[in-house]
Amino acid sequence: MRTVLMVAEKPSLAQSIAKILSRGNMSSRKGLNGACSVHEYTGSFIGQSAHFKMTSVCGHVMTLDFIGKYNSWDKVDPAELFSKAPTEKKEANPKLTMVKFLQVEARGCDCIVLWLDCDKEGENICFEVLDAVLPVMNKPRGTERTIYRAKFSSITDTDICNAMNHLGEPNRNEALSVDARQELDLRIGCAFTRFQTKYFQGKYGNLDSSLISFGPCQTPTLGFCVERHDKIQSFKPETYWVLQAKVNPEKESSLTLDWDRVRVFDREVAQMFLNITKMAKEAKVESVSKKEKVKQRPLALNTVEMLRVASAALGMGPQHAMQIAERLYTQGYISYPRTETTHYPENFDLKGCLRQQANNPYWAETVKALLSEGINRPRKGHDAGDHPPITPMRAATEAELGGDGWRLYEYITRHFIATVSADCKYLQTTISFSIGPEKFTCVGKVVTSPGFTEIMPWHSIPLEESLPHCEKGDLFPIGEIKLLEKQTSPPDYLTEAELITLMEKHGIGTDASIPVHINNICQRNYVTVESGRRLKPTNLGIVLVHGYYKIDAELVLPTIRSAVEKQLNLIALGKANYHQVLEHTLDIFKRKFHYFVDSIAGMDELMEVSFSPLAATGKPLSRCGKCHRFMKYIQAKPSRLHCSHCDDTYSLPQNGTIKLYKELRCPLDDFELVLWSSGSRGKSYPLCPYCYNHPPFRDMKKGMGCNECTHPTCQHSLSMLGIGQCVECENGVLVLDSTSGPKWKMACNKCNVIVHFFENAHKVRVSPETCDLCEAALVDVDFNKAKSPLPGDETQHSGCVFCDPVFQDLVELKHAAMRHPMHRGGQGKRQGRGRGKGRRPGGRLNPKKPKDKMAALAAYFV
């Protein structure tokens, strides 16, 4: 019996597909990485009985990066990143050990069926999976085919079974186009980002962005927002005048007429027209025309339109909307949400999809009427050859999906029903009047057949006052004629919906990456999202774009990226050579980069106007060890210290508070120490600004504080304050926080474990002696007599935090407030332990020496 391995893109998809193919008759188990499950069942495969193993990955298995030494910002010239720096594929998430997991499951398998999402990214992941599993799978006999690709657009029984019966092959060209995009974005983005971040952060203190990034798609996206901002700033309002007339067809009613000239910009001319028309006492009907008009039903829904509506009508950001759509897809409620197509294939079961919705109270009547009267064929849209339009695949209720999930599903369903509904028809009546020599018009609309607007009421024709019945030559008394003074108004800031439209029009990004680029410019503090989801550029965003325009407009204009996207599409279609496209594009951007570096002074001039130099920002905090003058602490991201006398900048740990540490100095370089803290519930440690940036010992890395310093005699170092190995991580050491009294604690210098102990102790010191049982350093504790918890009213005790029975009730493990997702539990609760119950008694016979301090601590806490 052959064994067939099947791989989907997400664990939830693997479960759904396995359930459908095995008809629910499968066994499931967790994989070795804990994130993916394996579902096994027996069935037939290409006419033979086979054992199936269905599992998944979690998105991309591999990611592209530079090899180790090229990841150093300080030692590598950014220009080398264009061609010289070699890249390598690394595991996208090393903690998931995805390659090892796939190889364990693939060992001994004869065939592989790839159920990755059917888009270019999915094809790329197919080859990442194949690279991992082919070396360990059974070798094919002769020319036997072993690699299969399933093509599907929704998680329904019909679609999945159909895909299994028509297996194809993975597309190497589409995978290569993704590889090309990844390499271009990595090389171009890193080179520009590293250069401009180091250049500007070394000069200005209030940029308020830890990274001044450049991206071949991200920067043109920002360019659209700044272009609109510039139009608003340069707009000069103009005054204009409009003539407004009202006629009274009947005693009680009045009708407002629109002037055919619309508006005039000269006050005297407007006054002249007013004077002429005021001479007339009646308005004469010149013509009455009635025309039946049609408002077309919408085209079928694609990704870009869904994102536009989600932002404009539902108030959801594109990234958030895409995440919800993906969740609805993996749960089987909608078809694949990444598609550029707005045209249903001829064989698409529209009636089947519509029948699913016949019992939902919100649209049951409309659906039943359509099914009994017959549906309309959807409008002919664009067929991009990828997936069918986004369609509801099964019925759902608000209780099932909840909040935003339901709102998006409801819109997708209403849109689908509208595409098979009739067009909206209305009768438009236009009456032309003359008042003296001037012409006026009045338009009225009456709906004759609402069509699709019943299901999409926000598209309905607004109710208007009905026009009076009249014929040519009729006269109506004039109620009033007046001159209205108005002003032209500037455009508003771009909404996300308008930005998505511009990005699609200019070919910036793909339907899948558009939300990511918009999210990036928000995260980088280049734009802020204002009310109505409008994107307002920040000072930094504006200066960057103006700087690019000044140096090389093509860096920010959409033209060059649009041309690159076209080349990438040609790779996907097999019409362009991968290596040639890569080489040619990198060569263009390398030249642009060198020109940018040579001309950076142009952007710097703009920066000088908007931002303060380092020397002028921040507040004096600690003394420099070189000149003994005060250095300035710059709080704006990324927080750092700057000595204006030496013109040196020292980076600091982020996301916490920095204050002076008792005016104590580092014994190595005479710099004043500072204390970093993540808050009262978090951890804190002192650091020397110079050592933090220039590690003094060979076994230290850049970015280490005193709690990791291996100085043998300094009172703040790891050597003097380290107590024992961390309970949870492998390399960390628990270090006494000597500033934490009277709520004393020790904290791991690598992870976020905190151990609270000896509350209200007067003094806690780390002894040079060690514990015989676990080799941890002993601690000397002094209590005030009134608050001493020690037996017999003693005030002093020396012992091991982990093994001493006197200390056992005075120690409590917690996790710092800045919890890491890998550390489960924590949150400051006692970790399921009673007050020392169930632990071994102090005087146990033949105590075995634990293998290490971690084992000792674990044994102590269990």
Side-chain angles (χ1 to χ4, degrees):
M1 188 190 284
R2 290 205 293 180
T3 307
V4 181
L5 178 69
M6 307 207 288
V7 184
E9 195 159 315
K10 293 184 186 77
S12 54
L13 277 178
Q15 186 179 1
S16 304
I17 294 167
K19 206 178 252 181
I20 291 168
L21 293 175
S22 68
R23 296 190 180 87
N25 188 17
M26 62 182 187
S27 63
S28 302
R29 60 181 166 83
K30 271 274 182 224
L32 68 86
N33 64 0
C36 304
S37 295
V38 183
H39 311 283
E40 299 186 63
Y41 64 96
T42 308
S44 72
F45 183 69
I46 314 176
Q48 297 178 15
S49 66
H51 177 70
F52 290 94
K53 286 167 83 174
M54 178 87 201
T55 187
S56 73
V57 290
C58 296
H60 273 282
V61 179
M62 310 300 282
T63 185
L64 191 71
D65 201 358
F66 296 111
I67 62 165
K69 70 172 188 178
Y70 285 94
N71 281 322
S72 166
W73 284 41
D74 297 322
K75 295 174 185 170
V76 177
D77 176 3
E80 290 181 22
L81 302 180
F82 284 98
S83 49
K84 221 175 164 186
T87 57
E88 62 178 344
K89 290 259 189 182
K90 296 177 181 173
E91 278 205 48
N93 189 342
K95 284 177 182 161
L96 289 178
T97 58
M98 197 58 77
V99 171
K100 186 182 174 187
F101 163 68
L102 288 170
Q103 288 177 342
V104 166
E105 296 305 333
R107 192 164 274 112
C109 290
D110 302 290
C111 303
I112 182 165
V113 182
L114 298 155
W115 289 88
L116 285 306
D117 288 354
C118 300
D119 56 9
K120 288 177 187 147
E121 295 289 337
E123 295 302 321
N124 189 263
I125 302 171
C126 280
F127 287 93
E128 292 175 356
V129 171
L130 291 175
D131 288 343
V133 302
L134 286 181
V136 299
M137 282 173 60
N138 293 341
K139 296 287 173 276
R141 303 183 196 92
T143 56
E144 185 185 32
R145 185 177 157 203
T146 57
I147 301 167
Y148 298 88
R149 174 75 164 111
K151 296 274 183 182
F152 58 101
S153 295
S154 63
I155 315 299
T156 58
D157 296 20
T158 321
D159 216 9
I160 296 299
C161 295
N162 198 27
M164 193 67 182
N165 295 332
H166 299 90
L167 294 171
E169 289 186 8
N171 186 325
R172 169 69 73 179
N173 291 327
E174 286 191 359
L176 279 175
S177 78
V178 173
D179 282 339
R181 178 183 282 111
Q182 282 178 352
E183 189 161 341
L184 288 175
D185 289 354
L186 176 74
R187 291 184 182 277
I188 297 165
C190 283
F192 278 91
T193 298
R194 286 186 192 183
F195 171 71
Q196 62 190 28
T197 300
K198 284 187 73 180
Y199 186 87
F200 291 120
Q201 281 186 348
K203 290 192 78 171
Y204 301 102
N206 55 343
L207 294 175
D208 205 25
S209 180
S210 46
L211 196 70
I212 303 172
S213 63
F214 173 93
C217 285
Q218 174 194 306
T219 306
T221 304
L222 174 62
F224 291 130
C225 300
V226 176
E227 187 185 357
R228 176 62 66 89
H229 168 84
D230 291 344
K231 279 181 183 167
I232 294 168
Q233 294 302 309
S234 60
F235 184 84
K236 288 188 175 62
E238 280 187 273
T239 307
Y240 65 90
W241 287 265
V242 175
L243 209 54
Q244 189 187 72
K246 284 187 180 177
V247 295
N248 300 334
E250 291 161 15
K251 275 186 181 176
E252 295 299 316
S253 64
S254 74
L255 205 59
T256 305
L257 311 182
D258 297 319
W259 190 22
D260 282 11
R261 289 184 196 272
V262 185
R263 60 187 178 181
V264 290
F265 285 89
D266 188 311
R267 170 79 204 230
E268 289 176 11
V269 173
Q271 191 63 47
M272 178 196 75
F273 284 126
L274 179 66
N275 296 342
I276 293 171
T277 50
K278 273 205 162 169
M279 293 163 117
K281 294 283 176 275
E282 291 180 313
K284 184 183 178 187
V285 176
E286 294 292 330
S287 67
V288 180
S289 68
K290 294 193 177 196
K291 214 177 195 179
E292 188 168 80
K293 293 209 162 188
V294 170
K295 185 172 186 177
Q296 281 192 306
R297 59 192 183 277
L299 283 166
L301 187 64
N302 67 1
T303 308
V304 168
E305 180 61 20
M306 178 188 75
L307 295 177
R308 263 199 293 258
V309 172
S311 174
L314 305 178
M316 293 183 205
Q319 181 106 346
H320 179 55
M322 205 65 224
Q323 286 166 351
I324 290 171
E326 282 177 2
R327 195 185 79 219
L328 291 173
Y329 159 68
T330 54
Q331 291 172 341
Y333 289 106
I334 62 170
S335 62
Y336 193 59
R338 289 197 179 121
T339 176
E340 293 171 20
T341 297
T342 57
H343 177 72
Y344 281 107
E346 296 303 317
N347 60 350
F348 195 89
D349 184 12
L350 293 165
K351 274 192 178 169
C353 287
L354 199 57
R355 273 192 212 100
Q356 302 256 25
Q357 303 297 335
N359 295 322
N360 191 304
Y362 288 100
W363 42 74
E365 284 180 30
T366 312
V367 170
K368 283 171 184 164
L370 278 171
L371 288 168
S372 62
E373 292 161 19
I375 61 170
N376 285 295
R377 190 86 204 131
R379 284 168 58 197
K380 188 164 176 56
H382 164 67
D383 186 359
D386 49 1
H387 286 270
I390 304 167
T391 312
M393 299 316 291
R394 66 185 171 104
T397 62
E398 190 168 354
E400 270 175 78
L401 303 180
D404 288 348
W406 166 254
R407 288 164 64 223
L408 190 62
Y409 173 82
E410 182 187 10
Y411 172 73
I412 291 167
T413 307
R414 285 183 184 276
H415 191 109
F416 165 68
I417 298 168
T419 59
V420 293
S421 300
D423 291 338
C424 170
K425 292 177 184 165
Y426 60 94
L427 191 66
Q428 182 168 300
T429 308
T430 308
I431 308 174
S432 295
F433 291 89
S434 62
I435 301 177
E438 285 307 291
K439 300 281 187 282
F440 292 81
T441 311
C442 188
V443 178
K445 294 170 187 169
V446 178
V447 175
T448 53
S449 166
F452 79 93
T453 60
E454 279 188 335
I455 195 74
M456 294 176 101
W458 57 92
H459 280 304
S460 57
I461 306 295
L463 288 167
E464 294 176 353
E465 288 180 43
S466 55
L467 296 185
H469 181 71
C470 57
E471 289 175 10
K472 187 179 176 181
D474 285 357
L475 297 170
F476 290 128
I478 295 168
E480 65 168 339
I481 294 182
K482 59 182 176 183
L483 207 55
L484 301 178
E485 184 180 304
K486 296 187 176 185
Q487 274 197 328
T488 54
S489 56
D492 214 332
Y493 284 106
L494 279 181
T495 61
E496 281 172 336
E498 290 165 338
L499 180 58
I500 292 165
T501 306
L502 283 170
M503 290 173 78
E504 184 192 32
K505 179 183 167 188
H506 291 282
I508 299 297
T510 61
D511 52 359
S513 66
I514 282 174
V516 178
H517 302 314
I518 295 176
N519 190 50
N520 280 346
I521 61 172
C522 298
Q523 297 281 313
R524 298 279 182 269
N525 195 29
Y526 294 160
V527 299
T528 55
V529 182
E530 304 291 312
S531 63
R533 300 211 68 84
R534 294 189 178 276
L535 301 169
K536 185 180 180 182
T538 60
N539 231 349
L540 180 59
I542 294 162
V543 171
L544 280 176
V545 169
H546 289 175
Y548 294 133
Y549 271 119
K550 198 171 178 183
I551 296 171
D552 180 357
E554 281 193 332
L555 291 175
V556 76
L557 288 171
T559 46
I560 195 161
R561 182 60 193 195
S562 184
V564 171
E565 289 285 354
K566 284 182 183 137
Q567 291 294 314
L568 294 173
N569 283 333
L570 289 175
I571 294 175
L573 295 168
K575 294 179 181 175
N577 181 282
Y578 164 79
H579 295 289
Q580 285 174 348
V581 169
L582 210 56
E583 207 174 307
H584 175 67
T585 310
L586 286 173
D587 185 52
I588 290 171
F589 272 98
K590 188 177 180 180
R591 290 161 193 261
K592 286 186 172 298
F593 177 77
H594 284 297
Y595 182 70
F596 180 72
V597 171
D598 294 342
S599 318
I600 193 67
M603 190 185 273
D604 201 18
E605 286 168 13
L606 300 175
M607 285 278 190
E608 274 177 358
V609 177
S610 299
F611 299 103
S612 314
L614 276 176
T617 43
K619 56 180 185 186
L621 182 73
S622 77
R623 289 182 188 271
C624 168
K626 296 177 185 176
C627 65
H628 295 119
R629 288 178 170 86
F630 275 106
M631 296 189 289
K632 294 268 190 82
Y633 170 45
I634 295 148
Q635 274 181 291
K637 280 186 181 176
S639 56
R640 52 210 189 276
L641 284 167
H642 177 69
C643 176
S644 49
H645 185 261
C646 306
D647 198 21
D648 283 331
T649 306
Y650 301 98
S651 58
L652 296 169
Q654 304 298 307
N655 306 322
T657 56
I658 293 277
K659 55 187 180 191
L660 193 59
Y661 185 54
K662 304 177 186 170
E663 295 187 6
L664 296 167
R665 292 175 183 262
C666 173
L668 293 170
D669 47 48
D670 216 25
F671 272 71
E672 276 188 341
L673 303 183
V674 293
L675 183 73
W676 177 86
S677 170
S678 67
S680 58
R681 289 179 57 217
K683 54 196 247 189
S684 54
Y685 57 83
L687 62 111
C688 161
Y690 190 83
C691 297
Y692 188 80
N693 290 271
H694 308 94
F697 302 112
R698 205 177 274 174
D699 56 354
M700 285 178 68
K701 291 194 182 98
K702 190 174 174 180
M704 286 186 168
C706 297
N707 63 347
E708 294 183 76
C709 175
T710 50
H711 192 295
T713 58
C714 173
Q715 60 176 344
H716 316 291
S717 72
L718 170 64
S719 318
M720 301 301 276
L721 296 177
I723 293 176
Q725 189 168 341
C726 176
V727 229
E728 293 204 9
C729 67
E730 289 179 19
N731 307 320
V733 176
L734 291 164
V735 181
L736 173 68
D737 182 349
S738 52
T739 65
S740 58
K743 296 189 174 182
W744 297 93
K745 60 189 173 188
M746 56 180 175
C748 175
N749 59 6
K750 288 280 192 277
C751 73
N752 63 352
V753 163
I754 287 182
V755 177
H756 288 262
F757 51 15
F758 315 129
E759 192 167 339
N760 297 321
H762 175 56
K763 220 181 246 178
V764 176
R765 288 181 303 275
V766 180
S767 163
E769 295 169 33
T770 56
C771 171
D772 295 337
L773 280 176
C774 70
E775 293 180 16
L778 301 183
V779 289
D780 302 331
V781 188
D782 285 8
F783 281 98
N784 290 331
K785 194 155 194 177
K787 293 183 177 178
S788 175
L790 298 174
D793 288 339
E794 287 182 30
T795 56
Q796 292 184 335
H797 188 76
S798 182
C800 174
V801 174
F802 311 128
C803 310
D804 193 320
V806 174
F807 285 160
Q808 67 182 11
D809 283 344
L810 308 178
V811 179
E812 185 182 358
L813 170 69
K814 291 192 181 184
H815 287 79
M818 33 175 254
R819 244 173 23 262
H820 190 282
M822 290 304 288
H823 289 127
R824 289 176 291 283
Q827 295 186 31
K829 293 174 189 161
R830 291 180 69 89
Q831 300 290 293
R833 303 185 313 280
R835 305 272 300 166
K837 290 173 197 162
R839 288 187 297 233
R840 64 170 193 268
R844 198 176 67 172
L845 293 173
N846 303 325
K848 284 184 185 171
K849 191 169 181 179
K851 290 192 287 294
D852 56 26
K853 293 178 191 129
M854 186 174 171
L857 212 53
Y860 168 80
F861 279 127
V862 169

